[in-house]
Amino acid sequence: MSLVRLKIKGISYSQTQNGAYALILNEVEGDRKLPIVIGAFEAQSIAIALEKEIKPPRPLTHDLFKNFADRFDIVIKQVIIHKLVDGVFYSSIICERDKIEEIIDARTSDAIALALRFGAPIFTYKTILDKAGIYLKFSSKDKEKETGDDSIVVDEILQESEAVEIDSGAASAYKEMTLEELRAELDKAVASEDYEKAAKLRDEISKRK
């Protein structure tokens, strides 16, 4: 079976289901998107790896794994999303130590969080992309900006999925804050290790740039 390389387009959230997140993957040589429902913790970990400006004062779980692997000369070569059963994606981490490869089973969200930290490529099989890949519907204005409303995708795929419940009341309050206030709150959130709040603040700051 042929492999298709994927890149991370971003993390989106549902506008109708509080606390629901989806990781949006894009095929490198194509337009199809592969949306994967993930939990709040995993969304936070991936967001921190994507946003280089957020520096946790202490390592998160995936950072700890990276530090551990580096200490023992273990390298993640690639991640493969190899199976889709009843809407659940299954992944394998291809590791190498002393020129010996090992395959480790992992949740897709964990595998991608680690792939980001190791700079490892992410793949899936063409059959999986044919089955679960989608084309986002863009307006002509969206096409010009090369952006789209991924939250629509999250709402669609979460109709038969469980949402992770988190506090969502702060989202509207952030819109009323100035950039200086947002950055100050971001610094406080990182210092107190409230990375879920930090990710939301960073999202709001990014929207204004």
PDB file of all heavy atoms in Angstrom, residues 90-118:
ATOM      1  N   TYR A  90      -5.570   4.582  14.275  1.00  0.00           N
ATOM      2  CA  TYR A  90      -4.501   3.872  14.969  1.00  0.00           C
ATOM      3  C   TYR A  90      -3.167   4.229  14.306  1.00  0.00           C
ATOM      4  O   TYR A  90      -3.086   4.299  13.080  1.00  0.00           O
ATOM      5  CB  TYR A  90      -4.714   2.357  14.902  1.00  0.00           C
ATOM      6  CG  TYR A  90      -5.936   1.886  15.655  1.00  0.00           C
ATOM      7  CD1 TYR A  90      -7.218   2.041  15.119  1.00  0.00           C
ATOM      8  CD2 TYR A  90      -5.817   1.287  16.910  1.00  0.00           C
ATOM      9  CE1 TYR A  90      -8.344   1.610  15.817  1.00  0.00           C
ATOM     10  CE2 TYR A  90      -6.936   0.850  17.602  1.00  0.00           C
ATOM     11  CZ  TYR A  90      -8.198   1.017  17.047  1.00  0.00           C
ATOM     12  OH  TYR A  90      -9.311   0.590  17.734  1.00  0.00           O
ATOM     13  N   SER A  91      -2.152   4.451  15.132  1.00  0.00           N
ATOM     14  CA  SER A  91      -0.862   4.880  14.593  1.00  0.00           C
ATOM     15  C   SER A  91       0.293   4.051  15.136  1.00  0.00           C
ATOM     16  O   SER A  91       0.187   3.419  16.194  1.00  0.00           O
ATOM     17  CB  SER A  91      -0.611   6.355  14.922  1.00  0.00           C
ATOM     18  OG  SER A  91      -1.525   7.182  14.250  1.00  0.00           O
ATOM     19  N   SER A  92       1.393   4.082  14.400  1.00  0.00           N
ATOM     20  CA  SER A  92       2.634   3.435  14.798  1.00  0.00           C
ATOM     21  C   SER A  92       3.754   4.457  14.775  1.00  0.00           C
ATOM     22  O   SER A  92       3.808   5.316  13.887  1.00  0.00           O
ATOM     23  CB  SER A  92       2.983   2.281  13.849  1.00  0.00           C
ATOM     24  OG  SER A  92       2.021   1.259  13.930  1.00  0.00           O
ATOM     25  N   ILE A  93       4.622   4.364  15.768  1.00  0.00           N
ATOM     26  CA  ILE A  93       5.818   5.199  15.822  1.00  0.00           C
ATOM     27  C   ILE A  93       7.003   4.330  15.414  1.00  0.00           C
ATOM     28  O   ILE A  93       7.236   3.277  16.011  1.00  0.00           O
ATOM     29  CB  ILE A  93       6.040   5.765  17.230  1.00  0.00           C
ATOM     30  CG1 ILE A  93       4.854   6.646  17.642  1.00  0.00           C
ATOM     31  CG2 ILE A  93       7.337   6.560  17.296  1.00  0.00           C
ATOM     32  CD1 ILE A  93       4.934   7.131  19.082  1.00  0.00           C
ATOM     33  N   ILE A  94       7.728   4.764  14.399  1.00  0.00           N
ATOM     34  CA  ILE A  94       8.909   4.027  13.949  1.00  0.00           C
ATOM     35  C   ILE A  94      10.129   4.648  14.622  1.00  0.00           C
ATOM     36  O   ILE A  94      10.486   5.800  14.340  1.00  0.00           O
ATOM     37  CB  ILE A  94       9.072   4.084  12.413  1.00  0.00           C
ATOM     38  CG1 ILE A  94       7.738   3.784  11.719  1.00  0.00           C
ATOM     39  CG2 ILE A  94      10.166   3.130  11.962  1.00  0.00           C
ATOM     40  CD1 ILE A  94       7.130   2.451  12.060  1.00  0.00           C
ATOM     41  N   CYS A  95      10.743   3.902  15.528  1.00  0.00           N
ATOM     42  CA  CYS A  95      11.889   4.383  16.289  1.00  0.00           C
ATOM     43  C   CYS A  95      13.168   3.682  15.839  1.00  0.00           C
ATOM     44  O   CYS A  95      13.132   2.594  15.253  1.00  0.00           O
ATOM     45  CB  CYS A  95      11.695   4.138  17.777  1.00  0.00           C
ATOM     46  SG  CYS A  95      10.211   4.857  18.466  1.00  0.00           S
ATOM     47  N   GLU A  96      14.294   4.313  16.167  1.00  0.00           N
ATOM     48  CA  GLU A  96      15.591   3.708  15.840  1.00  0.00           C
ATOM     49  C   GLU A  96      16.586   3.981  16.954  1.00  0.00           C
ATOM     50  O   GLU A  96      16.675   5.098  17.468  1.00  0.00           O
ATOM     51  CB  GLU A  96      16.129   4.260  14.520  1.00  0.00           C
ATOM     52  CG  GLU A  96      17.440   3.619  14.094  1.00  0.00           C
ATOM     53  CD  GLU A  96      17.955   4.172  12.783  1.00  0.00           C
ATOM     54  OE1 GLU A  96      17.565   3.658  11.720  1.00  0.00           O
ATOM     55  OE2 GLU A  96      18.743   5.150  12.830  1.00  0.00           O
ATOM     56  N   ARG A  97      17.329   2.941  17.323  1.00  0.00           N
ATOM     57  CA  ARG A  97      18.411   3.057  18.301  1.00  0.00           C
ATOM     58  C   ARG A  97      19.502   2.066  17.918  1.00  0.00           C
ATOM     59  O   ARG A  97      19.224   0.891  17.688  1.00  0.00           O
ATOM     60  CB  ARG A  97      17.916   2.772  19.715  1.00  0.00           C
ATOM     61  CG  ARG A  97      18.987   2.931  20.789  1.00  0.00           C
ATOM     62  CD  ARG A  97      18.394   2.810  22.173  1.00  0.00           C
ATOM     63  NE  ARG A  97      19.364   3.053  23.210  1.00  0.00           N
ATOM     64  CZ  ARG A  97      20.081   2.086  23.817  1.00  0.00           C
ATOM     65  NH1 ARG A  97      19.905   0.819  23.468  1.00  0.00           N
ATOM     66  NH2 ARG A  97      20.952   2.392  24.758  1.00  0.00           N
ATOM     67  N   ASP A  98      20.714   2.572  17.821  1.00  0.00           N
ATOM     68  CA  ASP A  98      21.849   1.733  17.404  1.00  0.00           C
ATOM     69  C   ASP A  98      21.563   1.038  16.074  1.00  0.00           C
ATOM     70  O   ASP A  98      21.864  -0.151  15.902  1.00  0.00           O
ATOM     71  CB  ASP A  98      22.176   0.698  18.485  1.00  0.00           C
ATOM     72  CG  ASP A  98      22.663   1.336  19.768  1.00  0.00           C
ATOM     73  OD1 ASP A  98      23.233   2.438  19.692  1.00  0.00           O
ATOM     74  OD2 ASP A  98      22.466   0.734  20.838  1.00  0.00           O
ATOM     75  N   LYS A  99      20.911   1.784  15.155  1.00  0.00           N
ATOM     76  CA  LYS A  99      20.595   1.311  13.811  1.00  0.00           C
ATOM     77  C   LYS A  99      19.609   0.146  13.799  1.00  0.00           C
ATOM     78  O   LYS A  99      19.474  -0.571  12.808  1.00  0.00           O
ATOM     79  CB  LYS A  99      21.874   0.907  13.070  1.00  0.00           C
ATOM     80  CG  LYS A  99      22.832   2.078  12.848  1.00  0.00           C
ATOM     81  CD  LYS A  99      24.053   1.657  12.041  1.00  0.00           C
ATOM     82  CE  LYS A  99      24.974   2.850  11.810  1.00  0.00           C
ATOM     83  NZ  LYS A  99      26.174   2.481  11.012  1.00  0.00           N
ATOM     84  N   ILE A 100      18.907  -0.031  14.903  1.00  0.00           N
ATOM     85  CA  ILE A 100      17.874  -1.073  14.995  1.00  0.00           C
ATOM     86  C   ILE A 100      16.515  -0.387  15.090  1.00  0.00           C
ATOM     87  O   ILE A 100      16.288   0.460  15.959  1.00  0.00           O
ATOM     88  CB  ILE A 100      18.082  -1.977  16.227  1.00  0.00           C
ATOM     89  CG1 ILE A 100      19.429  -2.698  16.127  1.00  0.00           C
ATOM     90  CG2 ILE A 100      16.938  -2.986  16.345  1.00  0.00           C
ATOM     91  CD1 ILE A 100      19.757  -3.519  17.360  1.00  0.00           C
ATOM     92  N   GLU A 101      15.602  -0.718  14.179  1.00  0.00           N
ATOM     93  CA  GLU A 101      14.282  -0.104  14.164  1.00  0.00           C
ATOM     94  C   GLU A 101      13.283  -0.899  15.000  1.00  0.00           C
ATOM     95  O   GLU A 101      13.309  -2.130  15.017  1.00  0.00           O
ATOM     96  CB  GLU A 101      13.752   0.014  12.728  1.00  0.00           C
ATOM     97  CG  GLU A 101      14.331   1.171  11.954  1.00  0.00           C
ATOM     98  CD  GLU A 101      13.562   1.462  10.686  1.00  0.00           C
ATOM     99  OE1 GLU A 101      12.649   0.691  10.342  1.00  0.00           O
ATOM    100  OE2 GLU A 101      13.885   2.471  10.030  1.00  0.00           O
ATOM    101  N   GLU A 102      12.428  -0.181  15.667  1.00  0.00           N
ATOM    102  CA  GLU A 102      11.338  -0.769  16.439  1.00  0.00           C
ATOM    103  C   GLU A 102      10.050  -0.049  16.080  1.00  0.00           C
ATOM    104  O   GLU A 102      10.053   1.156  15.790  1.00  0.00           O
ATOM    105  CB  GLU A 102      11.595  -0.631  17.943  1.00  0.00           C
ATOM    106  CG  GLU A 102      12.831  -1.344  18.453  1.00  0.00           C
ATOM    107  CD  GLU A 102      12.653  -2.853  18.523  1.00  0.00           C
ATOM    108  OE1 GLU A 102      11.497  -3.321  18.377  1.00  0.00           O
ATOM    109  OE2 GLU A 102      13.655  -3.549  18.734  1.00  0.00           O
ATOM    110  N   ILE A 103       8.947  -0.780  16.098  1.00  0.00           N
ATOM    111  CA  ILE A 103       7.633  -0.196  15.823  1.00  0.00           C
ATOM    112  C   ILE A 103       6.817  -0.214  17.111  1.00  0.00           C
ATOM    113  O   ILE A 103       6.645  -1.266  17.729  1.00  0.00           O
ATOM    114  CB  ILE A 103       6.895  -0.977  14.714  1.00  0.00           C
ATOM    115  CG1 ILE A 103       7.714  -0.963  13.420  1.00  0.00           C
ATOM    116  CG2 ILE A 103       5.516  -0.367  14.472  1.00  0.00           C
ATOM    117  CD1 ILE A 103       7.108  -1.797  12.309  1.00  0.00           C
ATOM    118  N   ILE A 104       6.328   0.949  17.515  1.00  0.00           N
ATOM    119  CA  ILE A 104       5.586   1.076  18.768  1.00  0.00           C
ATOM    120  C   ILE A 104       4.180   1.575  18.476  1.00  0.00           C
ATOM    121  O   ILE A 104       3.993   2.568  17.768  1.00  0.00           O
ATOM    122  CB  ILE A 104       6.304   2.054  19.723  1.00  0.00           C
ATOM    123  CG1 ILE A 104       7.710   1.535  20.053  1.00  0.00           C
ATOM    124  CG2 ILE A 104       5.493   2.249  21.002  1.00  0.00           C
ATOM    125  CD1 ILE A 104       8.521   2.484  20.903  1.00  0.00           C
ATOM    126  N   ASP A 105       3.198   0.888  19.018  1.00  0.00           N
ATOM    127  CA  ASP A 105       1.805   1.287  18.862  1.00  0.00           C
ATOM    128  C   ASP A 105       1.535   2.524  19.714  1.00  0.00           C
ATOM    129  O   ASP A 105       2.052   2.646  20.832  1.00  0.00           O
ATOM    130  CB  ASP A 105       0.890   0.139  19.291  1.00  0.00           C
ATOM    131  CG  ASP A 105      -0.582   0.486  19.132  1.00  0.00           C
ATOM    132  OD1 ASP A 105      -0.939   1.020  18.069  1.00  0.00           O
ATOM    133  OD2 ASP A 105      -1.352   0.241  20.075  1.00  0.00           O
ATOM    134  N   ALA A 106       0.740   3.463  19.203  1.00  0.00           N
ATOM    135  CA  ALA A 106       0.471   4.689  19.950  1.00  0.00           C
ATOM    136  C   ALA A 106      -0.851   5.294  19.519  1.00  0.00           C
ATOM    137  O   ALA A 106      -1.329   5.053  18.406  1.00  0.00           O
ATOM    138  CB  ALA A 106       1.592   5.708  19.728  1.00  0.00           C
ATOM    139  N   ARG A 107      -1.440   6.071  20.404  1.00  0.00           N
ATOM    140  CA  ARG A 107      -2.597   6.874  20.002  1.00  0.00           C
ATOM    141  C   ARG A 107      -2.110   7.895  18.984  1.00  0.00           C
ATOM    142  O   ARG A 107      -0.993   8.408  19.088  1.00  0.00           O
ATOM    143  CB  ARG A 107      -3.211   7.586  21.208  1.00  0.00           C
ATOM    144  CG  ARG A 107      -3.810   6.665  22.242  1.00  0.00           C
ATOM    145  CD  ARG A 107      -4.582   7.472  23.278  1.00  0.00           C
ATOM    146  NE  ARG A 107      -3.752   8.536  23.854  1.00  0.00           N
ATOM    147  CZ  ARG A 107      -4.232   9.503  24.630  1.00  0.00           C
ATOM    148  NH1 ARG A 107      -5.524   9.561  24.896  1.00  0.00           N
ATOM    149  NH2 ARG A 107      -3.422  10.410  25.142  1.00  0.00           N
ATOM    150  N   THR A 108      -2.948   8.209  18.034  1.00  0.00           N
ATOM    151  CA  THR A 108      -2.541   9.122  16.969  1.00  0.00           C
ATOM    152  C   THR A 108      -2.173  10.494  17.516  1.00  0.00           C
ATOM    153  O   THR A 108      -1.192  11.106  17.073  1.00  0.00           O
ATOM    154  CB  THR A 108      -3.657   9.243  15.919  1.00  0.00           C
ATOM    155  OG1 THR A 108      -3.855   7.957  15.320  1.00  0.00           O
ATOM    156  CG2 THR A 108      -3.289  10.236  14.839  1.00  0.00           C
ATOM    157  N   SER A 109      -2.915  10.994  18.479  1.00  0.00           N
ATOM    158  CA  SER A 109      -2.612  12.312  19.045  1.00  0.00           C
ATOM    159  C   SER A 109      -1.241  12.326  19.716  1.00  0.00           C
ATOM    160  O   SER A 109      -0.465  13.287  19.559  1.00  0.00           O
ATOM    161  CB  SER A 109      -3.694  12.724  20.045  1.00  0.00           C
ATOM    162  OG  SER A 109      -3.866  11.729  21.039  1.00  0.00           O
ATOM    163  N   ASP A 110      -0.918  11.267  20.458  1.00  0.00           N
ATOM    164  CA  ASP A 110       0.394  11.181  21.103  1.00  0.00           C
ATOM    165  C   ASP A 110       1.505  11.055  20.062  1.00  0.00           C
ATOM    166  O   ASP A 110       2.563  11.678  20.185  1.00  0.00           O
ATOM    167  CB  ASP A 110       0.450   9.973  22.042  1.00  0.00           C
ATOM    168  CG  ASP A 110      -0.392  10.172  23.295  1.00  0.00           C
ATOM    169  OD1 ASP A 110      -0.527  11.326  23.742  1.00  0.00           O
ATOM    170  OD2 ASP A 110      -0.917   9.175  23.818  1.00  0.00           O
ATOM    171  N   ALA A 111       1.251  10.226  19.048  1.00  0.00           N
ATOM    172  CA  ALA A 111       2.257  10.019  18.009  1.00  0.00           C
ATOM    173  C   ALA A 111       2.588  11.327  17.294  1.00  0.00           C
ATOM    174  O   ALA A 111       3.760  11.624  17.015  1.00  0.00           O
ATOM    175  CB  ALA A 111       1.760   8.976  17.013  1.00  0.00           C
ATOM    176  N   ILE A 112       1.576  12.127  17.014  1.00  0.00           N
ATOM    177  CA  ILE A 112       1.806  13.382  16.295  1.00  0.00           C
ATOM    178  C   ILE A 112       2.472  14.411  17.206  1.00  0.00           C
ATOM    179  O   ILE A 112       3.347  15.165  16.767  1.00  0.00           O
ATOM    180  CB  ILE A 112       0.481  13.913  15.723  1.00  0.00           C
ATOM    181  CG1 ILE A 112       0.029  12.979  14.578  1.00  0.00           C
ATOM    182  CG2 ILE A 112       0.626  15.347  15.222  1.00  0.00           C
ATOM    183  CD1 ILE A 112      -1.319  13.308  14.000  1.00  0.00           C
ATOM    184  N   ALA A 113       2.097  14.434  18.481  1.00  0.00           N
ATOM    185  CA  ALA A 113       2.754  15.340  19.429  1.00  0.00           C
ATOM    186  C   ALA A 113       4.245  15.036  19.504  1.00  0.00           C
ATOM    187  O   ALA A 113       5.083  15.950  19.594  1.00  0.00           O
ATOM    188  CB  ALA A 113       2.114  15.219  20.808  1.00  0.00           C
ATOM    189  N   LEU A 114       4.603  13.753  19.441  1.00  0.00           N
ATOM    190  CA  LEU A 114       6.018  13.361  19.483  1.00  0.00           C
ATOM    191  C   LEU A 114       6.701  13.630  18.145  1.00  0.00           C
ATOM    192  O   LEU A 114       7.858  14.056  18.108  1.00  0.00           O
ATOM    193  CB  LEU A 114       6.138  11.878  19.847  1.00  0.00           C
ATOM    194  CG  LEU A 114       5.763  11.534  21.295  1.00  0.00           C
ATOM    195  CD1 LEU A 114       5.754  10.026  21.498  1.00  0.00           C
ATOM    196  CD2 LEU A 114       6.732  12.196  22.270  1.00  0.00           C
ATOM    197  N   ALA A 115       5.986  13.388  17.045  1.00  0.00           N
ATOM    198  CA  ALA A 115       6.566  13.641  15.720  1.00  0.00           C
ATOM    199  C   ALA A 115       6.984  15.097  15.592  1.00  0.00           C
ATOM    200  O   ALA A 115       8.040  15.417  15.030  1.00  0.00           O
ATOM    201  CB  ALA A 115       5.561  13.276  14.628  1.00  0.00           C
ATOM    202  N   LEU A 116       6.168  15.995  16.123  1.00  0.00           N
ATOM    203  CA  LEU A 116       6.501  17.418  16.085  1.00  0.00           C
ATOM    204  C   LEU A 116       7.785  17.701  16.835  1.00  0.00           C
ATOM    205  O   LEU A 116       8.639  18.471  16.377  1.00  0.00           O
ATOM    206  CB  LEU A 116       5.358  18.237  16.702  1.00  0.00           C
ATOM    207  CG  LEU A 116       4.168  18.545  15.805  1.00  0.00           C
ATOM    208  CD1 LEU A 116       3.049  19.162  16.628  1.00  0.00           C
ATOM    209  CD2 LEU A 116       4.578  19.500  14.698  1.00  0.00           C
ATOM    210  N   ARG A 117       7.942  17.087  17.983  1.00  0.00           N
ATOM    211  CA  ARG A 117       9.119  17.351  18.805  1.00  0.00           C
ATOM    212  C   ARG A 117      10.393  16.733  18.218  1.00  0.00           C
ATOM    213  O   ARG A 117      11.489  17.230  18.490  1.00  0.00           O
ATOM    214  CB  ARG A 117       8.862  16.842  20.224  1.00  0.00           C
ATOM    215  CG  ARG A 117       7.873  17.725  20.983  1.00  0.00           C
ATOM    216  CD  ARG A 117       7.285  17.053  22.203  1.00  0.00           C
ATOM    217  NE  ARG A 117       6.526  18.004  23.020  1.00  0.00           N
ATOM    218  CZ  ARG A 117       5.301  18.417  22.768  1.00  0.00           C
ATOM    219  NH1 ARG A 117       4.664  17.944  21.713  1.00  0.00           N
ATOM    220  NH2 ARG A 117       4.696  19.293  23.543  1.00  0.00           N
ATOM    221  N   PHE A 118      10.254  15.676  17.442  1.00  0.00           N
ATOM    222  CA  PHE A 118      11.410  15.038  16.827  1.00  0.00           C
ATOM    223  C   PHE A 118      11.639  15.511  15.392  1.00  0.00           C
ATOM    224  O   PHE A 118      12.617  15.117  14.764  1.00  0.00           O
ATOM    225  CB  PHE A 118      11.239  13.516  16.823  1.00  0.00           C
ATOM    226  CG  PHE A 118      11.532  12.859  18.142  1.00  0.00           C
ATOM    227  CD1 PHE A 118      10.547  12.765  19.116  1.00  0.00           C
ATOM    228  CD2 PHE A 118      12.787  12.341  18.422  1.00  0.00           C
ATOM    229  CE1 PHE A 118      10.805  12.158  20.339  1.00  0.00           C
ATOM    230  CE2 PHE A 118      13.056  11.733  19.635  1.00  0.00           C
ATOM    231  CZ  PHE A 118      12.063  11.640  20.604  1.00  0.00           C
TER     232      PHE A 118
END
